[in-house]
């Protein structure tokens, strides 16, 4: 059988991958800075005097409806695009939280670059603001289609805003 292989139980397949991060924060708003300070991993004393008060303040401000807008750039084959984001959606923390650096969910992101072909159809269910959809769409050579689904209305707005901001409406269908 051409192309088939058999592994003994002790063998491991390995493939070298490189991490690609097309996202870069351009302007981090005050609400995102507070979110970062509140939820950064800390040691005991720092957690007590910085982390916990910052969490209380962040939750209070979110409850009061505080808003802020930040900007990130997305590197696309035809040049970078500046995209605004709503700091109330804490999932944008994938762009700026220390625990998400140098790349949010690095293993999954690298795996998508390996598995999704240039002409494939990628389906992003529970897309949130579109990290994976934008990651796949930004890959040089990708010419396929992406279907991004997000059921939560405010997050759906973030997803549409990101896709429009990137100018990828013809490649990414949002539902």
């Amino acid at each position: 059988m051409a192309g088939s292989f058999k592994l003994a139980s002790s063998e491991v397949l390995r493939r070298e991958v490189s991490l690609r991060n097309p996202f870069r924060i351009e302007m981090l708003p005050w609400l995102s800075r507070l979110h970062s300070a509140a939820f950064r991993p800390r040691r005991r004393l720092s957690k007590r005097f910085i982390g916990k008060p910052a969490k209380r303040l962040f939750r209070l401000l979110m409850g009061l409806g505080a808003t802020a807008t930040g900007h990130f750039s997305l590197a696309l084959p035809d040049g970078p695009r500046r995209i605004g984001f709503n700091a109330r959606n804490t999932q944008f923390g994938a762009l700026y939280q220390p625990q998400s650096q140098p790349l949010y969910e690095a293993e999954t992101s690298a795996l998508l670059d390996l598995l999704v072909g240039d002409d494939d159809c990628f389906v992003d269910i529970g897309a949130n603001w579109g990290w994976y959809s934008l990651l796949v769409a930004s890959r040089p050579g990708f010419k396929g289609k992406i279907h991004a689904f997000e059921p939560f209305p405010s997050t759906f707005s973030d997803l549409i805003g990101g896709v429009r901001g990137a100018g990828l409406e013809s490649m990414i269908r949002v539902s």
Side-chain angles (χ1 to χ4, degrees):
M1 205 189 260
S4 66
F5 55 88
K6 184 177 181 178
L7 292 177
S9 61
S10 62
E11 292 183 88
V12 175
L13 282 177
R14 294 178 196 262
R15 173 141 186 204
E16 191 171 319
V17 297
S18 58
L19 296 178
R20 180 181 65 85
N21 188 351
F23 302 96
R24 195 185 89 227
I25 283 289
E26 287 191 355
M27 197 280 288
L28 193 61
W30 66 272
L31 194 57
S32 296
R33 291 176 195 272
L34 181 58
H35 175 249
S36 184
F39 294 94
R40 175 173 294 165
R42 301 180 180 281
R43 295 183 188 260
R44 175 176 270 160
L45 207 53
S46 176
K47 182 182 266 187
R48 181 181 220 180
F49 292 108
I50 298 172
K52 286 190 179 194
K55 277 183 187 176
R56 286 187 186 110
L57 180 58
F58 178 76
R59 288 183 176 133
L60 172 69
L61 291 171
M62 290 290 281
L64 293 172
T67 62
T69 301
H71 293 93
F72 67 92
S73 67
L74 177 66
L76 294 171
D78 61 343
R81 294 286 189 328
R82 188 171 196 240
I83 302 169
F85 71 92
N86 175 2
R88 287 189 60 81
N89 182 346
T90 58
Q91 292 301 311
F92 282 105
L95 297 169
Y96 61 82
Q97 288 286 46
Q99 57 268 35
S100 296
Q101 301 306 314
L103 181 67
Y104 174 69
E105 294 190 0
E107 296 86 358
T108 305
S109 296
L111 190 61
L112 285 176
D113 270 349
L114 285 174
L115 295 179
V116 179
D118 288 347
D119 296 311
D120 284 355
C121 179
F122 175 68
V123 179
D124 189 356
I125 299 173
N128 203 294
W129 61 267
W131 170 275
Y132 293 121
S133 294
L134 293 172
L135 178 75
V136 170
S138 71
R139 192 179 73 224
F142 182 78
K143 301 177 292 295
K145 293 289 182 189
I146 298 169
H147 297 275
F149 299 93
E150 176 52 50
F152 195 66
S154 64
T155 308
F156 181 77
S157 292
D158 294 335
L159 176 61
I160 289 175
V163 171
R164 284 184 184 150
L168 295 170
E169 300 97 313
S170 62
M171 184 181 287
I172 303 174
R173 181 174 180 212
V174 177
S175 300

